Amino acid sequence: MADTKPPVARFSAVKSWAGTRTPVIPDDGEGIIRRASLRAFAIEAHCVSVARFADFVAETGYLTEAERIGWSYVFRGLLSRPDSADVVGGYNKAGWWWAVSGASWKYPSGKGEPEAAPDHPVTQISWNDAQAFAEWAGGRLPSEVEWEHAARNGLEDRRYPWGDEEPDDDTILCNIWQGRFPDTNTCADGYYGTAPVDAFAPNEAGLHNTSGNVWEWTADRYRINSLKSAAKARNAQAKRDGDRVMKGGSFLCHSSYCWRYRIAARSGRAPDTAASHTGFRIVYD
């Protein structure tokens, strides 16, 4: 089996932690998550790569949910031949997410499209798939607080892993969208889709790509702490679907469309959902 396990960053136990900041997207439930006592933990320096996930599959014979279902969600811009793609449905009214037959971790844009690059983060992975891998690896998915604590290198308040400087089309600090979403991406950062797991400078703790590249699953259930009726409805739906928190944003994020590559930002999806911009990393007690 190939030695594809990345280094880890270690964090000591802390008595309490709270991410104090002004929420940018309060409807997502941003703000102080909660006060918590964190035990010492170690977190991998980058997301699980395609090569490492291939080791897992080779050893266990595991089939991901996308493989069992037979299709998954693909950003339309990733399709080299969109007219011939085996599209079985759409995901959003805007039309940039397509349900593509055969899309999986090995062929993230479907059969007939290029195989996933070994050194890129594995995608088309559901929360349930990530849980299965974590158990095999002897670790677990991070809690939302652990993920934020590590992305900030233990600091009290920080907008991005590198500080508060805003990345944009000229200041390249992470893998996000550059240009007018969803039709024009200048690829000023060098990538249209995912970048290698160790691309771009890490934070002080050594963690790569906690802003942009791929959304990362966490262990926590998704809930919005708000008394607004819209939040109550979203919470009820999230509870029915079993939604889990995702962090970090992805290569599709842009400040004009999805400003969720900030550390505080969050989203939630059902645990059986997979897509071409979603991966995960592992923590250890």
Side-chain angles (χ1 to χ4, degrees):
M1 183 171 64
D3 183 13
T4 53
K5 186 175 180 178
V8 298
R10 302 181 185 278
F11 290 89
S12 300
V14 292
K15 292 182 178 180
S16 64
W17 184 93
T20 56
R21 65 264 179 183
T22 301
V24 173
I25 310 177
D27 287 347
D28 286 350
E30 284 188 28
I32 295 176
I33 302 169
R34 61 181 178 271
R35 295 192 179 276
S37 293
L38 293 180
R39 296 180 178 180
F41 69 96
I43 184 168
E44 292 185 349
H46 52 68
C47 285
V48 174
S49 67
V50 172
R52 190 171 173 212
F53 196 81
D55 292 342
F56 164 60
V57 171
E59 184 171 311
T60 65
Y62 184 83
L63 278 178
T64 62
E65 291 196 281
E67 290 172 295
R68 293 196 296 270
I69 294 170
W71 62 269
S72 193
Y73 295 117
V74 177
F75 176 66
R76 71 180 188 196
L78 295 174
L79 296 167
S80 63
R81 297 176 297 172
D83 293 340
S84 60
D86 189 2
V87 179
V88 296
Y91 177 60
N92 65 345
K93 294 180 180 179
W96 55 72
W97 281 109
W98 290 355
V100 176
S101 179
S104 69
W105 70 271
K106 193 172 184 179
Y107 295 95
S109 296
K111 293 293 181 64
E113 295 287 334
E115 285 192 48
D119 62 341
H120 283 226
V122 67
T123 60
Q124 299 295 5
I125 298 298
S126 71
W127 185 86
N128 296 319
D129 298 330
Q131 283 283 94
F133 179 96
E135 183 176 351
W136 172 80
R140 57 181 174 80
L141 294 179
S143 69
E144 185 174 9
V145 172
E146 286 173 329
W147 191 97
E148 288 206 17
H149 187 71
R152 286 196 176 90
N153 190 32
L155 301 176
E156 183 75 5
D157 193 9
R158 169 181 276 193
R159 177 163 279 185
Y160 298 108
W162 54 82
D164 292 329
E165 183 181 4
E166 295 290 339
D168 56 31
D169 294 356
D170 299 314
T171 306
I172 307 303
L173 296 167
C174 58
N175 180 21
I176 54 178
W177 190 273
Q178 281 111 17
R180 185 180 295 276
F181 186 87
D183 299 314
T184 303
N185 188 347
T186 66
C187 300
D189 58 17
Y191 304 97
Y192 186 91
T194 58
V197 292
D198 58 355
F200 304 96
N203 71 357
E204 298 94 329
L207 272 64
H208 292 269
N209 296 318
T210 47
S211 280
N213 213 25
V214 293
W215 281 101
E216 300 181 27
W217 289 112
T218 74
D220 291 357
R221 292 189 178 274
Y222 183 77
R223 179 175 173 79
I224 300 170
N225 293 323
S226 171
L227 298 177
K228 292 182 178 180
S229 58
K232 292 180 179 179
R234 178 67 180 93
N235 284 339
Q237 183 66 49
K239 185 175 182 179
R240 287 193 295 270
D241 294 343
D243 287 5
R244 301 287 174 162
V245 174
M246 301 192 303
K247 299 289 288 184
S250 79
F251 61 86
L252 295 176
C253 286
H254 189 274
S255 58
S256 66
Y257 154 66
C258 176
W259 196 17
R260 292 180 175 86
Y261 47 90
R262 296 165 294 101
I263 293 173
R266 61 205 298 267
S267 187
R269 291 291 183 273
D272 60 353
T273 302
S276 51
H277 67 343
T278 305
F280 66 105
R281 76 179 70 208
I282 302 296
V283 300
Y284 304 90
D285 294 319

